Amino acid sequence: MDTPLPPAPPDDPLTTFFWEAARRHELHIQRCQSCGTYIHMPRPICRNCQSFDLAGEQVSGRATLYSWTQTYKPFHPYFVERVPYVIATVTLVEQPGLQFMCNLIGIDQANVDAEARMGMDLEVTFQDLGDGYVVPQFKPVGVVL
Amino acid sequence: MSVQRQGRKVAIVGVGYSDVGRNTGLSERHHAAQAAVRALEDAGLQAKDIDGASTWGGDAVDFGWMIGFDDLRWSLNVGVAPAFITPAYHAAQAVAMGHADTVMAFRIMMQQPPSAALASGAAMLGEPSMVDAQFRWPYGNFSPVQWAGLLMNRYMHETGATEEHFARFAEVQRSYAQRNPDALLRDPLSAEDYLAKPYVTKPLRVLDCDYPCDSGSAVIFTTEERARDLRQPMVLVEASALSAIRDMNFELLPDMVRTSPKHCGDLLWSRTDLRPENVSTAHLYDGFSIITLQWLEGLGLCEPGGAAQFVMDGETRLGGKVPTNTDGGAINVGRRHGANFCIEAVRQLRGQCGDRQVAGADVSVWANAVGMFSGAMLLTKG
Ligand SMILES: [Zn+2]
């Protein structure tokens, strides 16, 4: 395959934990070490208690589906051969309103209305895009890819 | 407490567009110059009468010098913000507070690269924060149309709205555009035509999106006192509001369907004695059609969750409870990034809308953006 991968994460000390964990097939989310609030996307300060003491922590990888959209039009060369695909926002079970964006995989694209149900239970899985670029994804609980 | 009532009463006295179109070959400066000259002509003002300028797109000082404005007493260049409402809001505030007497607010917008260039890798869509994009791009989430798809789908789930409601919305907007010589898309459009189009990102179709083009828009704000001597019927700024409820990652709001427009609407109504039921015409952002529905609800022009049915019932048509987007919206007049809603509101209050004029229009609201940030302005006939 000679199409380029999606742009790689920048060299950013704030988010390195996330991508390193993904390569180990673990989902880590930034958490305030002072008040316990999870924060996504990562920030240098906790918006609940203004602490700067923040670190990535492993989460359960369980979530519910909040919304989805099935994209037909590619906006980058990598996705030209991959449309349609489903972009989803999911709510991680660790904290109310803790939203995470991903693809919903492990569903039949031709039957998306029936298979992508708002509120359904999901679990994390990991997808290797190539060159060690591993991204956390979500799929219906129990689906084997 | 009203911010604007603390200062001078503000009027809108001139409006103008450039030669809006697809890939016009005209520069940003050229669009600004055309829009400015037409707004001045509309108002009966000279370039030297302008002593303040604001813009999103290009540079207000550069435009002012080029066009021949007076020495500027106030200027502002806006970055990523809720569309034209931002330079417009601050222009009105500058007049109210006496920082300047007559301010021109611009929105200059050049057509974005075509999707074929994006798919080939020859171009990329702009991205305000590379740091946050790392959590979107690997998932193929590059474009605002995708958060709009997420919003639209969640809205449909919560309210029971269907694709047929959005088809009706498109049909109503086009029926207005057919009465507007400024619209770029004026062919007849039925709900069936809408439903026959492919998805961009399901459930959203191409006719849910504003129409890409090059556009220049200019609006002149001055004092009520100065406006009395000018050419046009009086249009006054009654109240305005800006809202911002999170960073640019709109997709991560835990409640996507009750966002900034509700907050903004509450602020707006707290600054006036007028009420939603006083509104004669509404001009509500339609960068994606779902946004107009969000504003109908956020401003209290219909019941919460009831906007799709409100549209289906014909309440946004001429003769309905709240004629909405009477210019046809940006889906048909082209992406003027909010400025068209201001300009059409002004024209309705002046009684200059021809076939699409709402009889007796005396209160008009216009509003921009959705999600993380937004803004709205209430105008009255003087
Ligand atoms: Zn904290």
mmCIF file of all heavy atoms in Angstrom, chain B residues 102-123:
data_model
loop_
_atom_site.group_PDB
_atom_site.id
_atom_site.type_symbol
_atom_site.label_atom_id
_atom_site.label_comp_id
_atom_site.label_asym_id
_atom_site.label_seq_id
_atom_site.Cartn_x
_atom_site.Cartn_y
_atom_site.Cartn_z
ATOM 1 N N THR B 102 -18.336 55.435 13.158
ATOM 2 C CA THR B 102 -18.906 54.717 12.014
ATOM 3 C C THR B 102 -17.942 53.593 11.632
ATOM 4 O O THR B 102 -16.833 53.853 11.164
ATOM 5 C CB THR B 102 -19.128 55.679 10.836
ATOM 6 O OG1 THR B 102 -19.911 56.792 11.303
ATOM 7 C CG2 THR B 102 -19.876 54.985 9.710
ATOM 8 N N VAL B 103 -18.374 52.363 11.876
ATOM 9 C CA VAL B 103 -17.483 51.206 11.761
ATOM 10 C C VAL B 103 -17.985 50.264 10.674
ATOM 11 O O VAL B 103 -19.180 49.960 10.608
ATOM 12 C CB VAL B 103 -17.400 50.438 13.096
ATOM 13 C CG1 VAL B 103 -16.523 49.194 12.946
ATOM 14 C CG2 VAL B 103 -16.864 51.335 14.206
ATOM 15 N N MET B 104 -17.052 49.805 9.834
ATOM 16 C CA MET B 104 -17.406 48.786 8.853
ATOM 17 C C MET B 104 -16.906 47.424 9.331
ATOM 18 O O MET B 104 -15.733 47.279 9.669
ATOM 19 C CB MET B 104 -16.825 49.114 7.477
ATOM 20 C CG MET B 104 -17.416 48.212 6.379
ATOM 21 S SD MET B 104 -16.866 48.631 4.711
ATOM 22 C CE MET B 104 -17.633 50.217 4.420
ATOM 23 N N ALA B 105 -17.820 46.451 9.360
ATOM 24 C CA ALA B 105 -17.466 45.079 9.726
ATOM 25 C C ALA B 105 -17.482 44.215 8.471
ATOM 26 O O ALA B 105 -18.427 44.280 7.683
ATOM 27 C CB ALA B 105 -18.460 44.530 10.746
ATOM 28 N N PHE B 106 -16.410 43.426 8.302
ATOM 29 C CA PHE B 106 -16.262 42.585 7.107
ATOM 30 C C PHE B 106 -16.279 41.099 7.467
ATOM 31 O O PHE B 106 -15.814 40.695 8.536
ATOM 32 C CB PHE B 106 -14.895 42.811 6.443
ATOM 33 C CG PHE B 106 -14.648 44.160 5.851
ATOM 34 C CD1 PHE B 106 -14.084 45.185 6.617
ATOM 35 C CD2 PHE B 106 -14.923 44.404 4.510
ATOM 36 C CE1 PHE B 106 -13.803 46.428 6.052
ATOM 37 C CE2 PHE B 106 -14.641 45.639 3.939
ATOM 38 C CZ PHE B 106 -14.084 46.656 4.713
ATOM 39 N N ARG B 107 -16.743 40.296 6.519
ATOM 40 C CA ARG B 107 -16.415 38.865 6.500
ATOM 41 C C ARG B 107 -16.013 38.531 5.078
ATOM 42 O O ARG B 107 -16.840 38.611 4.151
ATOM 43 C CB ARG B 107 -17.600 37.990 6.930
ATOM 44 C CG ARG B 107 -17.279 36.478 6.912
ATOM 45 C CD ARG B 107 -16.286 36.110 8.019
ATOM 46 N NE ARG B 107 -15.916 34.697 8.042
ATOM 47 C CZ ARG B 107 -14.783 34.201 7.494
ATOM 48 N NH1 ARG B 107 -13.946 34.998 6.845
ATOM 49 N NH2 ARG B 107 -14.494 32.919 7.601
ATOM 50 N N ILE B 108 -14.740 38.222 4.892
ATOM 51 C CA ILE B 108 -14.219 37.877 3.570
ATOM 52 C C ILE B 108 -13.819 36.406 3.623
ATOM 53 O O ILE B 108 -13.069 35.985 4.504
ATOM 54 C CB ILE B 108 -12.989 38.741 3.204
ATOM 55 C CG1 ILE B 108 -13.260 40.231 3.483
ATOM 56 C CG2 ILE B 108 -12.597 38.497 1.751
ATOM 57 C CD1 ILE B 108 -14.400 40.839 2.705
ATOM 58 N N MET B 109 -14.339 35.628 2.709
ATOM 59 C CA MET B 109 -14.150 34.177 2.788
ATOM 60 C C MET B 109 -13.835 33.632 1.407
ATOM 61 O O MET B 109 -14.615 33.816 0.475
ATOM 62 C CB MET B 109 -15.434 33.569 3.309
ATOM 63 C CG MET B 109 -15.379 32.079 3.491
ATOM 64 S SD MET B 109 -16.202 31.637 5.021
ATOM 65 C CE MET B 109 -15.477 30.039 5.324
ATOM 66 N N MET B 110 -12.706 32.971 1.285
ATOM 67 C CA MET B 110 -12.341 32.391 0.000
ATOM 68 C C MET B 110 -12.711 30.912 -0.020
ATOM 69 O O MET B 110 -12.620 30.224 0.988
ATOM 70 C CB MET B 110 -10.835 32.569 -0.258
ATOM 71 C CG MET B 110 -10.368 34.024 -0.135
ATOM 72 S SD MET B 110 -11.297 35.194 -1.167
ATOM 73 C CE MET B 110 -10.522 34.875 -2.756
ATOM 74 N N GLN B 111 -13.112 30.453 -1.185
ATOM 75 C CA GLN B 111 -13.574 29.068 -1.336
ATOM 76 C C GLN B 111 -12.488 28.086 -0.899
ATOM 77 O O GLN B 111 -11.321 28.247 -1.242
ATOM 78 C CB GLN B 111 -13.976 28.819 -2.790
ATOM 79 C CG GLN B 111 -14.704 27.506 -3.008
ATOM 80 C CD GLN B 111 -15.265 27.396 -4.414
ATOM 81 O OE1 GLN B 111 -15.588 28.396 -5.040
ATOM 82 N NE2 GLN B 111 -15.377 26.186 -4.915
ATOM 83 N N GLN B 112 -12.900 27.051 -0.175
ATOM 84 C CA GLN B 112 -11.947 26.056 0.307
ATOM 85 C C GLN B 112 -11.570 25.072 -0.799
ATOM 86 O O GLN B 112 -12.269 24.970 -1.803
ATOM 87 C CB GLN B 112 -12.546 25.322 1.509
ATOM 88 C CG GLN B 112 -12.621 26.238 2.723
ATOM 89 C CD GLN B 112 -13.138 25.533 3.956
ATOM 90 O OE1 GLN B 112 -13.924 24.601 3.857
ATOM 91 N NE2 GLN B 112 -12.706 25.986 5.108
ATOM 92 N N PRO B 113 -10.475 24.333 -0.615
ATOM 93 C CA PRO B 113 -10.061 23.398 -1.670
ATOM 94 C C PRO B 113 -11.128 22.331 -1.934
ATOM 95 O O PRO B 113 -11.816 21.916 -1.013
ATOM 96 C CB PRO B 113 -8.778 22.765 -1.110
ATOM 97 C CG PRO B 113 -8.713 23.129 0.322
ATOM 98 C CD PRO B 113 -9.544 24.345 0.518
ATOM 99 N N PRO B 114 -11.233 21.890 -3.189
ATOM 100 C CA PRO B 114 -12.238 20.871 -3.518
ATOM 101 C C PRO B 114 -11.887 19.525 -2.882
ATOM 102 O O PRO B 114 -10.727 19.251 -2.582
ATOM 103 C CB PRO B 114 -12.178 20.784 -5.048
ATOM 104 C CG PRO B 114 -10.836 21.314 -5.416
ATOM 105 C CD PRO B 114 -10.444 22.300 -4.356
ATOM 106 N N SER B 115 -12.906 18.691 -2.707
ATOM 107 C CA SER B 115 -12.685 17.419 -2.021
ATOM 108 C C SER B 115 -11.711 16.522 -2.775
ATOM 109 O O SER B 115 -10.981 15.746 -2.176
ATOM 110 C CB SER B 115 -14.018 16.705 -1.803
ATOM 111 O OG SER B 115 -14.674 16.524 -3.035
ATOM 112 N N ALA B 116 -11.661 16.644 -4.108
ATOM 113 C CA ALA B 116 -10.718 15.819 -4.880
ATOM 114 C C ALA B 116 -9.279 16.151 -4.481
ATOM 115 O O ALA B 116 -8.433 15.261 -4.382
ATOM 116 C CB ALA B 116 -10.927 16.039 -6.368
ATOM 117 N N ALA B 117 -9.011 17.421 -4.223
ATOM 118 C CA ALA B 117 -7.663 17.819 -3.806
ATOM 119 C C ALA B 117 -7.353 17.294 -2.411
ATOM 120 O O ALA B 117 -6.210 16.943 -2.099
ATOM 121 C CB ALA B 117 -7.526 19.336 -3.840
ATOM 122 N N LEU B 118 -8.368 17.214 -1.572
ATOM 123 C CA LEU B 118 -8.173 16.672 -0.225
ATOM 124 C C LEU B 118 -7.904 15.176 -0.301
ATOM 125 O O LEU B 118 -7.003 14.654 0.350
ATOM 126 C CB LEU B 118 -9.416 16.935 0.636
ATOM 127 C CG LEU B 118 -9.793 18.400 0.824
ATOM 128 C CD1 LEU B 118 -11.153 18.505 1.503
ATOM 129 C CD2 LEU B 118 -8.733 19.126 1.642
ATOM 130 N N ALA B 119 -8.675 14.488 -1.137
ATOM 131 C CA ALA B 119 -8.542 13.037 -1.233
ATOM 132 C C ALA B 119 -7.208 12.640 -1.860
ATOM 133 O O ALA B 119 -6.643 11.603 -1.535
ATOM 134 C CB ALA B 119 -9.704 12.461 -2.038
ATOM 135 N N SER B 120 -6.690 13.473 -2.756
ATOM 136 C CA SER B 120 -5.416 13.155 -3.410
ATOM 137 C C SER B 120 -4.229 13.540 -2.542
ATOM 138 O O SER B 120 -3.100 13.183 -2.843
ATOM 139 C CB SER B 120 -5.327 13.893 -4.749
ATOM 140 O OG SER B 120 -5.083 15.274 -4.526
ATOM 141 N N GLY B 121 -4.474 14.291 -1.484
ATOM 142 C CA GLY B 121 -3.385 14.748 -0.632
ATOM 143 C C GLY B 121 -2.780 16.050 -1.087
ATOM 144 O O GLY B 121 -1.859 16.561 -0.473
ATOM 145 N N ALA B 122 -3.317 16.635 -2.180
ATOM 146 C CA ALA B 122 -2.782 17.897 -2.690
ATOM 147 C C ALA B 122 -3.122 19.070 -1.772
ATOM 148 O O ALA B 122 -2.485 20.111 -1.826
ATOM 149 C CB ALA B 122 -3.327 18.164 -4.089
ATOM 150 N N ALA B 123 -4.139 18.892 -0.925
ATOM 151 C CA ALA B 123 -4.541 19.971 -0.022
ATOM 152 C C ALA B 123 -5.046 19.356 1.271
ATOM 153 O O ALA B 123 -5.433 18.190 1.308
ATOM 154 C CB ALA B 123 -5.641 20.817 -0.659
#
